[in-house]
Amino acid sequence: MPVLVASDLDRTLIYSAAALALTMPDARAPRLLCVEVHESKPLSYMTETAAQLLTDLGDTAVFVPTTTRTRKQYQRINLPGPPPTYAICANGGHLLVDGVSDRDWHARVLARLADECAPLSEVQEHLLRTADPVWVRKHRVAEDLFAYLVVERELLREEWVKELAVWAENRGWTVSLQGRKIYAVPKPLTKSAAVREVARRTGADLTLAAGDSLLDADLLLAADQGWRPGHGELADADWTAPAISALPERGVLAGERILREFLRTVRSARSQ
Ligand SMILES: [Mg+2]
């Protein structure tokens, strides 16, 4: 029986320069591998050790990158290790099988959204009407499924985010603040639903997961065992659950630790 390892990417396995959180003297910093180039510039990194661990993991488990990124944003990431057979993009809206979106899965997601929550247009309109241009840099719609804003964190009123979360909750939507982005995502659009589908297709009987943000909470709760880093929305909220380990590491070193925990757990499961 294969072990399924479903992990968030940004600020869980891969880190922008601003999110590395290196605290040691420069001369002792770990060597970093750039795994994403955007507009001809390096954007995301993991440690070289983490890169080796991810390669080993890809050889021993079904590793499923599980991200809120759009397909296009995901496809410019160049992860070490064997190319994953399955990848989850758009917070579960697209299930890629050998790089191609599964049409049946996407149709099922659309049907659920139409049934269970307010339409994207209503949320978009609310964001355009209430978000202050003083701190909003960009309004974005991802894959016609959800919306996000790119904001200036220093100027953002935290009160506004709380008000938005309440407004969204009443319409079946969730709000998540991650770095410079505020996401508004339909509640039924979850990473965990897509991971369950991959578990069904692969026959996996053990699922491991990791993530740092509110949009990863359902993923962690659905897993048999999970880890979250010492930074991020979940850590800030002291979020925890019985099968979840809250790691002390922050930044890119948390990514390395998570991969070590995945690999150790996969190996011990396979030796039983
Ligand atoms: Mg993340």
Side-chain angles (χ1 to χ4, degrees):
M1 288 278 213
V3 178
L4 200 158
V5 178
S7 181
D8 174 49
L9 297 177
D10 291 273
R11 295 175 190 234
T12 296
L13 294 188
I14 70 175
Y15 292 78
S16 66
L20 290 174
L22 295 171
T23 54
M24 70 292 285
D26 289 346
R28 292 209 205 115
R31 194 179 285 147
L32 300 172
L33 179 72
C34 175
V35 294
E36 180 184 20
V37 170
H38 182 44
E39 291 172 350
S40 309
K41 293 196 179 81
L43 186 58
S44 302
Y45 303 87
M46 57 202 310
T47 68
E48 233 174 48
T49 305
Q52 184 57 55
L53 292 166
L54 181 55
T55 303
D56 295 347
L57 185 68
D59 290 335
T60 48
V62 179
F63 171 65
V64 185
T66 305
T67 180
T68 305
R69 286 183 178 224
T70 63
R71 285 168 293 170
K72 197 171 163 220
Q73 290 165 344
Y74 167 70
Q75 276 154 352
R76 68 178 184 234
I77 303 174
N78 193 353
L79 290 175
T85 304
Y86 297 97
I88 293 162
C89 293
N91 216 59
H94 285 282
L95 171 57
L96 305 191
V97 183
D98 292 320
V100 179
S101 182
D102 186 283
R103 292 173 69 162
D104 291 342
W105 175 253
H106 187 62
R108 271 160 63 188
V109 169
L110 293 182
R112 266 199 80 186
L113 298 191
D115 271 3
E116 296 176 24
C117 56
L120 173 62
S121 56
E122 186 181 335
V123 175
Q124 254 184 296
E125 195 251 317
H126 180 79
L127 291 172
L128 283 166
R129 191 157 40 78
T130 63
D132 192 335
V134 167
W135 45 258
V136 175
R137 289 294 162 263
K138 293 171 191 167
H139 285 263
R140 288 281 182 269
V141 167
E143 302 265 23
D144 285 326
L145 290 169
F146 62 90
Y148 64 92
L149 306 175
V150 181
V151 301
E152 292 295 340
R153 273 298 278 269
E154 312 75 55
L155 300 175
L156 174 68
R157 271 196 319 120
E158 300 278 332
E159 269 311 299
W160 184 84
V161 182
K162 284 183 192 148
E163 286 159 22
L164 174 66
V166 173
W167 183 90
E169 171 80 33
N170 292 329
R171 285 157 185 83
W173 286 60
T174 305
V175 171
S176 172
L177 177 60
Q178 301 175 37
R180 297 178 63 223
K181 289 176 180 164
I182 301 173
Y183 292 88
V185 177
K187 277 181 189 281
L189 186 69
T190 62
K191 293 179 174 183
S192 59
V195 168
R196 279 195 198 94
E197 177 66 10
V198 177
R200 192 185 66 77
R201 293 187 189 193
T202 57
D205 62 345
L206 178 68
T207 298
L208 312 180
D212 68 299
S213 86
L214 212 52
L215 294 175
D216 299 311
D218 70 283
L219 171 69
L220 292 169
L221 289 172
D224 296 298
Q225 208 175 334
W227 293 265
R228 65 125 169 108
H231 62 261
E233 234 177 351
L234 295 178
D236 292 347
D238 266 324
W239 186 91
T240 188
I244 306 306
S245 305
L247 299 172
E249 287 88 351
R250 301 171 58 86
V252 74
L253 290 181
E256 193 178 301
R257 172 77 189 271
I258 286 165
L259 285 163
R260 219 181 283 285
E261 296 294 330
F262 279 153
L263 203 54
R264 187 180 54 77
T265 310
V266 169
R267 283 180 175 149
S268 87
R270 288 176 68 99
S271 68
Q272 274 162 24

